Amino acid sequence: MSRLSIASVVALSAAVHLSLLLYGEYHDRIATAGVRYTDVDYDVLSDAADFVARGSSPFDRATYRYSPLFALILYPGSIWNRIWGKFLFCFFDVLVGLISYRVVLLFYKGSARKRNVAVWSAATWLLNPMAIVVSSRGNAESLDRKSVV
């Protein structure tokens, strides 16, 4: 029985995140029924970043009810490409899995099974379909999760 490595789990998770990220961009362009892949709140956050890029307040965007830090974090998307924020949220989602791997390694110090438990623990997060879809749709919850972990 081959052992599962953290590198292979992270690579698979990153590939799935990136695939859904690209699929979402494609789907949003061809969506004819009005059902988009991108989270509505992502549009609000991106629009607020556009306001910041123009020198205005993010609160000038109607329905903006978030911390101004979100608009600043998404500011590069106003200059470069609007997919920036989704990419960033996916990155933090994978980072949460890696941090959980390290935490479990520390917790199981001295145990012979620690590496295996840590990899499976991280895989539970890194390959969680709900977490992957949420972050690839442009939801900023991965930033919250990162600050909790």
Side-chain angles (χ1 to χ4, degrees), residues 3-14 94-102 104-105 114-127:
R3 295 177 61 122
L4 189 62
S5 74
I6 189 64
S8 62
V9 173
V10 168
L12 178 59
S13 178
V94 173
L95 188 61
V96 167
L98 282 170
I99 291 171
S100 70
Y101 171 76
R102 298 291 298 171
V104 172
L105 280 179
K114 73 177 180 181
R115 191 193 145 292
N116 199 30
V117 171
V119 170
W120 281 102
S121 185
T124 302
W125 180 258
L126 288 167
L127 303 175

Side-chain angles (χ1 to χ4, degrees), residues 5-142:
S5 74
I6 189 64
S8 62
V9 173
V10 168
L12 178 59
S13 178
V16 172
H17 276 89
L18 184 59
S19 297
L20 281 176
L21 197 64
L22 296 174
Y23 166 76
E25 290 299 303
Y26 170 74
H27 179 85
D28 287 350
R29 290 195 178 129
I30 65 160
T32 56
V35 179
R36 297 178 59 226
Y37 185 80
T38 299
D39 193 321
V40 172
D41 288 339
Y42 184 73
D43 292 331
V44 173
L45 293 171
S46 295
D47 291 348
D50 291 341
F51 277 97
V52 170
R54 291 191 299 259
S56 297
S57 167
F59 296 103
D60 290 343
R61 173 27 162 120
T63 72
Y64 188 76
R65 60 188 185 278
Y66 307 96
S67 166
L69 292 176
F70 283 119
L72 293 173
I73 289 169
L74 295 181
Y75 177 79
S78 297
I79 299 167
W80 176 59
N81 190 320
R82 285 179 80 96
I83 201 171
W84 160 257
K86 292 181 187 180
F87 179 78
L88 188 68
F89 299 154
C90 288
F91 171 78
F92 274 100
D93 204 30
V94 173
L95 188 61
V96 167
L98 282 170
I99 291 171
S100 70
Y101 171 76
R102 298 291 298 171
V103 166
V104 172
L105 280 179
L106 291 172
F107 181 75
Y108 278 90
K109 205 170 218 163
S111 170
R113 299 179 344 162
K114 73 177 180 181
R115 191 193 145 292
N116 199 30
V117 171
V119 170
W120 281 102
S121 185
T124 302
W125 180 258
L126 288 167
L127 303 175
N128 179 341
M130 180 67 83
I132 293 171
V133 168
V134 166
S135 61
S136 67
R137 288 185 67 216
N139 192 302
E141 286 182 13
S142 60

